[in-house]
């Protein structure tokens, strides 16, 4: 946050006990990120954008201390950033597809996408909406969707699930998953039916094949 102190004030020593010392920044990788209070030597964060541990875990600031007579000395201050857990990110909507009438535990497309700037974070996935009939299940540690019940394109061809992803620091994100159920070509069904036709004294049996 802008104006946040970066540790304790920088201290310059002067054998002339009555000398006043003023401080200024003269260089370092953090020269545009911090300001220094001239009278106290206190560094403050002053950059317009947030600090990011993942991209720059450490910054240096070259400080010059000058006394009233104009004598000066310089020192290098190292500012180490403390990593803060950040929430995972997921696509707003993810599309998956599966054919109808496939067996339970059939995979539904690829694993769900998630990204996290915190290296080493693990993630737990859970379906929190759109699955009241239990047609799908989710492997919690991988984000792999599987079929959990009978799917019929003629009954329902699109399912919209809401999935929550929680990282190891208990930060979370949600994503919408649209699952399209494709029609599977069904073979024709043949049923034998028997009809009796009387012609005089002779009885004929006709077998008719009916396609349904």
């Amino acid at each position: 946050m802008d104006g946040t102190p970066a540790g304790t004030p920088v201290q310059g020593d002067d054998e002339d006990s009555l000398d006043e010392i003023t401080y200024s920044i003269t260089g370092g990788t953090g020269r545009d990120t911090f300001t220094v209070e001239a009278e106290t030597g206190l560094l403050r964060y002053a950059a317009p954008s947030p600090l990011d541990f993942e991209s720059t875990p450490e910054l240096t600031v070259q400080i010059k201390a000058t006394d009233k007579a104009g004598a000066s000395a310089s020192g290098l201050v190292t500012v180490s950033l403390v990593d803060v857990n950040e929430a995972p990110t997921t696509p707003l909507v993810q599309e998956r597809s599966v054919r109808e009438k496939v067996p339970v535990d059939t995979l539904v497309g690829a694993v769900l996408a998630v990204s996290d700037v915190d290296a080493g974070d693990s993630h737990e996935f859970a379906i929190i909406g759109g699955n009241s009939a239990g047609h799908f299940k989710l492997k919690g540690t991988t984000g792999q969707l599987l079929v959990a019940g009978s799917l019929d394109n003629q009954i329902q061809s699109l399912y919209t699930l809401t999935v929550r992803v929680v990282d190891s620091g208990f930060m979370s994100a949600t994503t919408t998953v649209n699952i399209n159920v494709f029609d599977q070509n069904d073979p024709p069904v043949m049923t034998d039916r028997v009809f009796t036709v009387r012609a005089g004294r002779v009885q004929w049996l006709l077998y008719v094949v009916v396609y349904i």
Side-chain angles (χ1 to χ4, degrees):
M1 183 180 294
D2 193 12
T4 300
T8 57
V10 177
Q11 294 292 326
D13 294 324
D14 196 317
E15 293 181 358
D16 303 308
S17 59
L18 298 180
D19 257 359
E20 294 180 2
I21 298 175
T22 58
Y23 301 90
S24 60
I25 295 175
T26 60
T29 59
R31 65 178 303 169
D32 297 323
T33 305
F34 300 96
T35 60
V36 64
E37 293 183 356
E39 295 81 13
T40 66
L42 180 63
L43 281 173
R44 291 186 180 274
Y45 170 67
S49 57
L51 296 170
D52 185 7
F53 175 88
E54 280 70 30
S55 62
T56 311
E58 189 174 272
L59 293 164
T60 59
V61 181
Q62 188 78 30
I63 301 291
K64 183 169 75 172
T66 306
D67 66 15
K68 291 176 63 176
S72 65
S74 295
L76 189 67
V77 177
T78 299
V79 180
S80 298
L81 304 187
V82 177
D83 192 17
V84 175
N85 183 53
E86 296 168 81
T89 57
T90 59
L92 184 63
V93 178
Q94 304 188 53
E95 303 288 341
R96 297 292 184 272
S97 61
V98 66
R99 290 197 176 278
E100 65 174 351
K101 300 177 183 178
V102 294
V104 170
D105 289 333
T106 296
L107 302 184
V108 181
V111 297
L112 298 181
V114 60
S115 59
D116 200 320
V117 297
D118 298 307
D121 256 3
S122 60
H123 301 93
E124 189 74 23
F125 297 78
I127 299 172
I128 61 173
N131 195 40
S132 58
H135 288 99
F136 301 96
K137 57 186 177 180
L138 187 57
K139 287 186 177 180
T141 57
T142 66
Q144 177 65 64
L145 281 165
L146 302 99
V147 173
S150 177
L151 300 175
D152 191 328
N153 172 272
Q154 280 71 39
I155 296 176
Q156 188 168 348
S157 61
L158 175 65
Y159 294 83
T160 299
L161 308 182
T162 302
V163 174
R164 180 170 56 206
V165 186
V166 182
D167 69 13
S168 51
F170 304 104
M171 300 289 284
S172 66
T174 58
T175 183
T176 297
V177 184
N178 292 325
I179 302 176
N180 292 280
V181 178
F182 291 143
D183 190 20
Q184 182 168 279
N185 184 44
D186 297 318
V189 177
M190 296 187 297
T191 303
D192 290 343
R193 296 186 181 179
V194 179
F195 297 89
T196 301
V197 179
R198 295 184 180 278
R201 295 182 179 181
V202 180
Q203 179 174 298
W204 302 87
L205 296 181
L206 302 180
Y207 291 87
V208 180
V209 176
V210 180
Y211 294 85
I212 300 177

